[in-house]
């Protein structure tokens, strides 16, 4: 392979360090501010869910910032640079995901008065299902957060020469600091600030990169000439890495597992003061997702226009594709001190928000689903201290996982693969509970195990035996205008090596697009769960609190009340409807299904009241589950 001479790319200067350090300082200061401001509110609920009185604005910013992490800032432009702009089709995936989350999953979680999404599983099934789901979520979040911490640290190492593991530790310490001090409110408001930094960093790169490469028309022309604008590929082959179907269908399943039933998302939504605010936060957040996606895609196209004749990755100027974006930034801003610091702050903004959100969600789940169940009589002061201790513990664990993340390859594929393998089965489990009244706890547990097994079998196989390039189809990159080194090594050729043997499934099952991992896990869980439920005796609808089931059939049978009631499978949704008409809504849920079934129908209608309904806003206000038990 020829050797090339890497052009000199300048490192950080004083102003870059100042801009970058300011991000950490402001983030930590927000934690201190809320620690002082909320010092008299010492309840664990105030710490973990902000007292459930947040408004839609900051929550929308927080949701966007938390899930558009450094994986997006660094990974998406690299994906577009190497594979083309088909990544923009996630525009459709995000839209479907937000609609499903806001209209199907959120209302059930919100009205049931829970703090942890896994409380729902105990209300709907039993403690065993709740515990299994909680443990899987903890594993998933720690693995994913490790990738999110590692990605920007790698970028910082590339552009500044900082010690890689020193920057990993700094990220973990700052996130843990403001999350532990200020709780959810500090996380949310820090996310809002970091979202602004993220968009500012992207826009700065776009404006400078476009002007250096002849304007937007020239960038568009170069992208078209390099086949980067071939977006709509309708090939139905599930082995193809990115097509219209893999992104829209597979991407929807993947992101629905991230958004629809993920504790980090739902925790923010249920912290809103009403269901109306929670839904509005999700739809405003969709605008944020579109904005960041478009910025990342156009950055990838500008980067391709800049390096179309001398690809720094093929020429070995950098060691990994995820370093393309920071390399590009240091290249185009070498004469503008302070701006590279803004971009690295942009990458770290995504990381800080995601890691803080993960730490806060992990602490909430562990406290509500594990500790509180074992020690129900803890005082509020002790509960708050335990919650803060959990934030510290998970801060250390998530930072430590960054070491494992260095072995997983590209950050976008690695992060979405983990979400697919764990989030898909979880999505199937919650869908079983919310949509299918007949599903029982045996079906739920069996379905969860089947979905996890299928998803991990596929995901692990694809990691060991990567799909052949013929399915990934990376686009051509050129080193035509790179400068060759004056060395005899330039003519050296590598010794031929024998390709390792691949098992029969390597080119079929293991070569499935990584975006389908979630769909496999979700469908495997749902189908297996239904089969086991019918084999072991399905649940009776009248035994299930109606607030725990979403009557999706109402959308398709709106003309016939009799048909709707038939498809409710015995669930008493009509009692809720009649009460809403009188503006005297009925009950949300009982503590256990046993308590619910021990009363006759008259007692159900008289005793189970949803006290959170606000007739003026035509929405539900946030109340604790204990207040209506």
């Amino acid at each position: 392979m020829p050797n090339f001479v890497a052009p000199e790319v300048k490192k950080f200067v004083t102003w870059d360090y100042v801009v970058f350090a300011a991000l950490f300082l402001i983030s930590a200061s927000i934690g201190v501010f809320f620690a002082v401001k909320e010092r008299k509110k010492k309840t664990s609920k105030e710490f973990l869910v902000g007292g459930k009185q947040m408004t839609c604005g900051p929550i929308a910013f927080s949701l966007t910032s938390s899930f558009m992490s450094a994986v997006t800032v660094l990974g998406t432009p690299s994906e577009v640079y190497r594979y083309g702009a088909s990544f923009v089709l996630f525009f459709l995936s995000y839209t479907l995901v937000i609609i499903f989350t806001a209209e199907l999953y959120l209302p059930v979680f919100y009205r049931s008065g829970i703090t942890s999404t896994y409380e729902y599983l105990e209300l709907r099934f039993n403690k065993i299902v709740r515990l299994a789901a909680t443990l899987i979520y903890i594993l998933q979040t720690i693995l994913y957060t490790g990738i999110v911490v590692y990605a920007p640290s790698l970028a910082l190492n590339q552009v500044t020469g900082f010690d890689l593991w020193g920057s990993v530790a700094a990220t973990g310490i700052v996130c843990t600091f403001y999350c532990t001090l200020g709780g959810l409110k500090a996380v949310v408001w820090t996310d809002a600030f970091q979202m602004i930094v993220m968009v500012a960093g992207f826009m700065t790169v776009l404006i400078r990169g476009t002007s250096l490469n002849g304007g937007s028309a020239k960038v568009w022309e170069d992208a078209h000439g390099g086949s980067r604008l071939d977006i709509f590929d309708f090939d139905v082959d599930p082995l193809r890495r990115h097509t219209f179907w893999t992104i829209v269908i597979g991407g929807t399943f993947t992101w629905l597992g991230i958004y629809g039933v993920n504790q980090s998302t739902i925790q923010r939504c249920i912290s809103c003061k009403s269901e109306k605010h929670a839904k509005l936060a999700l739809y405003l957040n969709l605008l944020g997702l579109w904005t960041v996606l478009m910025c990342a895609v156009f950055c990838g196209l500008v980067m391709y226009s800049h390096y179309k004749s001398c690809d720094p990755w093929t020429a070995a100027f950098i060691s990994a594709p995820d370093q393309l974006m920071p390399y590009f930034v240091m290249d185009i801003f070498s004469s503008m001190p302070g701006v590279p610091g803004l971009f690295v702050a942009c990458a770290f903004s995504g990381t800080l928000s995601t890691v803080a959100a993960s730490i806060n969600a992990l602490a909430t789940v562990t406290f509500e689903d594990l500790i509180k169940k074992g020690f129900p009589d803890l005082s509020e002061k002790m509960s708050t201290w335990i919650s803060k201790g959990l934030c510290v513990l998970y801060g250390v664990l998530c930072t430590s996982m960054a070491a494992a993340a260095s072995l997983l390859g590209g950050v976008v594929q690695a992060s979405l693969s983990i979400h697919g393998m764990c989030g898909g089965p979880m999505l199937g489990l919650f869908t079983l509970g919310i949509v299918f009244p007949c599903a029982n706890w045996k079906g739920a547990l069996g379905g969860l195990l089947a979905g996890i097994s299928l998803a991990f079998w596929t995901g692990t196989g694809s990691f060991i035996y990567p799909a052949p390039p013929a399915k990934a189809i990376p686009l051509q990159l050129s080193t035509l205008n790179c400068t060759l080194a004056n060395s005899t090594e330039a003519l050296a050729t590598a010794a031929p090596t024998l390709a390792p043997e691949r098992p029969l499934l390597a080119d079929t099952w293991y070569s499935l697009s990584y975006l389908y991992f979630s769909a496999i896990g979700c469908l495997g869980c749902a189908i297996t769960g239904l089969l086991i439920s019918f084999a072991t005796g399905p649940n009776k609808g009248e035994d299930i609190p109606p607030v725990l089931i979403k009557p999706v059939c109402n959308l398709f049978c709106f003309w016939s009340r009799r048909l709707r009631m038939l498809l409710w499978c015995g669930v008493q949704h009509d009692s809720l409807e009649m009460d809403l008409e009188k503006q005297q809504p009925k009950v949300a849920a009982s503590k256990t299904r046993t308590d619910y079934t021990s009363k006759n129908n008259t007692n159900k209608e008289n005793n189970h009241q949803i006290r959170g309904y606000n007739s003026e806003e035509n929405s539900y206000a946030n109340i604790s589950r204990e207040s209506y038990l």
Side-chain angles (χ1 to χ4, degrees):
M1 178 179 177
N3 289 335
F4 298 97
V5 177
E8 182 181 358
V9 177
K10 294 183 179 180
K11 301 295 184 181
F12 262 26
V13 295
T14 303
W15 280 109
D16 296 314
Y17 288 108
V18 170
V19 171
F20 178 66
L23 169 74
F24 279 86
L25 183 61
I26 294 173
S27 298
S29 299
I30 293 174
V32 174
F33 171 78
F34 279 101
V36 174
K37 181 182 177 183
E38 309 291 328
R39 65 187 182 279
K40 295 182 180 179
K41 302 176 182 178
K42 297 181 179 180
T43 66
S44 59
K45 181 181 295 184
E46 187 71 31
F47 181 79
L48 295 173
V49 289
K52 296 189 175 183
Q53 291 299 310
M54 303 293 291
T55 54
C56 59
I59 294 296
F61 273 108
S62 179
L63 285 170
T64 303
S65 184
S66 294
F67 289 96
M68 295 288 101
S69 65
V71 170
T72 303
V73 175
L74 302 179
T76 300
S78 173
E79 288 280 324
V80 173
Y81 177 87
R82 296 172 62 204
Y83 295 100
S86 60
F87 215 84
V88 77
L89 292 173
F90 274 101
F91 182 98
L92 298 175
S93 300
Y94 295 158
T95 305
L96 293 173
V97 165
I98 296 302
I99 291 173
F100 277 116
T101 301
E103 305 302 333
L104 177 60
Y105 297 101
L106 175 64
V108 174
F109 292 132
Y110 197 96
R111 297 174 193 181
S112 56
I114 59 177
T115 300
S116 161
T117 53
Y118 307 101
E119 288 181 68
Y120 169 84
L121 295 176
E122 183 176 348
L123 291 172
R124 177 65 177 84
F125 298 115
N126 63 13
K127 294 179 182 179
I128 298 174
V129 178
R130 176 181 181 177
L131 178 61
T134 298
L135 295 176
I136 291 170
Y137 170 76
I138 290 173
L139 173 65
Q140 169 194 358
T141 306
I142 292 175
L143 287 173
Y144 171 69
T145 308
I147 296 173
V148 172
V149 172
Y150 175 74
S153 298
L154 180 66
L156 190 64
N157 175 257
Q158 168 70 23
V159 298
T160 69
F162 270 3
D163 180 72
L164 176 63
W165 302 111
S167 56
V168 166
T171 303
I173 289 170
V174 171
C175 289
T176 306
F177 175 75
Y178 72 74
C179 182
T180 304
L181 279 182
L184 182 70
K185 285 188 178 179
V187 172
V188 167
W189 283 104
T190 307
D191 286 350
F193 161 70
Q194 289 161 354
M195 175 66 189
I196 295 171
V197 174
M198 195 184 306
V199 173
F202 265 138
M203 294 307 298
T204 305
V205 173
L206 277 174
I207 293 169
R208 175 68 173 170
T210 302
S211 64
L212 285 179
N213 289 284
S216 56
K218 183 63 167 61
V219 169
W220 202 256
E221 180 184 332
D222 290 340
H224 184 269
S227 302
R228 263 61 187 177
L229 299 182
D230 298 337
I231 295 172
F232 295 101
D233 181 353
F234 292 100
D235 188 348
V236 296
D237 183 0
L239 308 186
R240 290 280 306 280
R241 187 171 186 272
H242 284 167
T243 65
F244 178 87
W245 306 112
T246 57
I247 292 177
V248 174
I249 297 176
T252 298
F253 272 97
T254 301
W255 279 92
L256 199 53
I258 297 172
Y259 257 77
V261 298
N262 188 287
Q263 171 66 23
S264 186
T265 303
I266 300 302
Q267 183 174 338
R268 281 162 173 67
C269 291
I270 63 178
S271 71
C272 290
K273 62 183 181 181
S274 71
E275 185 183 330
K276 186 176 181 180
H277 272 269
K279 284 187 176 183
L280 188 56
L282 283 170
Y283 285 114
L284 289 174
N285 153 65
L286 178 59
L287 299 177
L289 294 179
W290 287 344
T291 300
V292 175
L293 175 66
M294 292 302 177
C295 287
V297 169
F298 281 114
C299 276
L301 295 178
V302 170
M303 190 161 59
Y304 173 74
S305 178
H306 193 76
Y307 291 125
K308 63 182 183 294
S309 299
C310 182
D311 170 41
W313 180 50
T314 307
F317 301 158
I318 55 176
S319 59
D322 295 319
Q323 295 176 345
L324 278 165
M325 191 65 177
Y327 182 88
F328 174 58
V329 168
M330 293 305 298
D331 188 1
I332 65 175
F333 289 115
S334 58
S335 61
M336 301 175 68
V339 181
L342 176 64
F343 171 76
V344 175
C346 165
F348 268 85
S349 290
T351 293
L352 291 174
S353 61
T354 303
V355 175
S358 297
I359 291 171
N360 191 261
L362 285 167
T364 302
V365 166
T366 305
F367 180 76
E368 293 289 337
D369 297 341
L370 301 178
I371 294 176
K372 200 171 180 181
K373 297 296 291 184
F375 304 94
D377 298 324
L378 288 172
S379 66
E380 281 296 345
K381 185 176 181 180
M382 181 59 70
S383 297
T384 304
W385 279 107
I386 290 174
S387 300
K388 292 186 176 184
L390 289 170
C391 286
V392 175
L393 172 64
Y394 283 119
V396 173
L397 284 176
C398 291
T399 306
S400 302
M401 275 307 301
S406 63
L407 307 174
L408 295 179
V411 293
V412 168
Q413 181 165 337
S415 62
L416 292 182
S417 295
I418 287 174
H419 274 309
M421 289 187 288
C422 295
M426 298 291 283
L427 176 63
L429 176 63
F430 281 100
T431 303
L432 265 179
I434 291 172
V435 177
F436 300 102
C438 58
N440 61 26
W441 75 268
K442 295 175 184 176
L445 190 59
L448 179 61
L449 295 176
I452 283 285
S453 300
L454 276 173
F456 267 84
W457 176 29
T458 311
T460 305
S462 69
F463 178 74
I464 298 173
Y465 302 103
K471 296 299 181 184
I473 314 184
L475 298 176
Q476 185 175 0
L477 296 167
S478 173
T479 55
L480 182 64
N481 290 341
C482 296
T483 306
L484 278 170
N486 293 322
S487 171
T488 56
E489 294 178 3
L491 301 176
T493 57
T497 57
L498 296 175
E501 292 187 10
R502 292 168 65 87
L504 183 63
L505 292 177
D507 294 324
T508 52
W509 184 249
Y510 295 158
S511 293
L512 278 172
S513 171
Y514 70 96
L515 290 173
Y516 280 134
F517 294 168
S518 183
I520 290 171
C522 177
L523 295 177
C525 174
I527 293 171
T528 305
L530 289 173
L531 291 174
I532 294 175
S533 294
F534 280 112
T536 57
N539 274 347
K540 296 180 180 179
E542 56 267 21
D543 294 341
I544 303 174
V547 78
L548 300 182
I549 303 292
K550 182 70 174 178
V552 293
C553 58
N554 289 3
L555 291 173
F556 309 102
C557 309
F558 57 87
W559 67 88
S560 172
R561 179 177 177 81
R562 184 176 180 182
L563 182 56
R564 290 205 310 271
M565 292 184 67
L566 177 66
L567 295 177
W568 287 346
C569 303
V571 180
Q572 304 297 312
H573 291 298
D574 52 344
S575 64
L576 291 176
E577 288 183 350
M578 288 187 294
D579 288 332
L580 286 176
E581 291 172 4
K582 299 175 183 177
Q583 296 186 354
Q584 294 175 350
K586 297 296 177 183
V587 102
S590 63
K591 189 171 185 179
T592 65
R593 285 171 32 244
T594 303
D595 293 336
Y596 188 90
T597 57
S598 65
K599 298 176 176 64
N600 58 33
N601 288 337
T602 302
N603 287 336
K604 288 179 190 175
E605 294 187 2
N606 291 336
N607 296 333
H608 292 267
Q609 298 182 350
I610 302 177
R611 295 179 187 148
Y613 189 75
N614 185 328
S615 58
E616 293 182 0
E617 286 195 6
N618 192 26
S619 179
Y620 288 81
N622 224 325
I623 59 173
S624 66
R625 181 160 56 93
E626 290 78 4
S627 68
Y628 54 66
L629 289 178

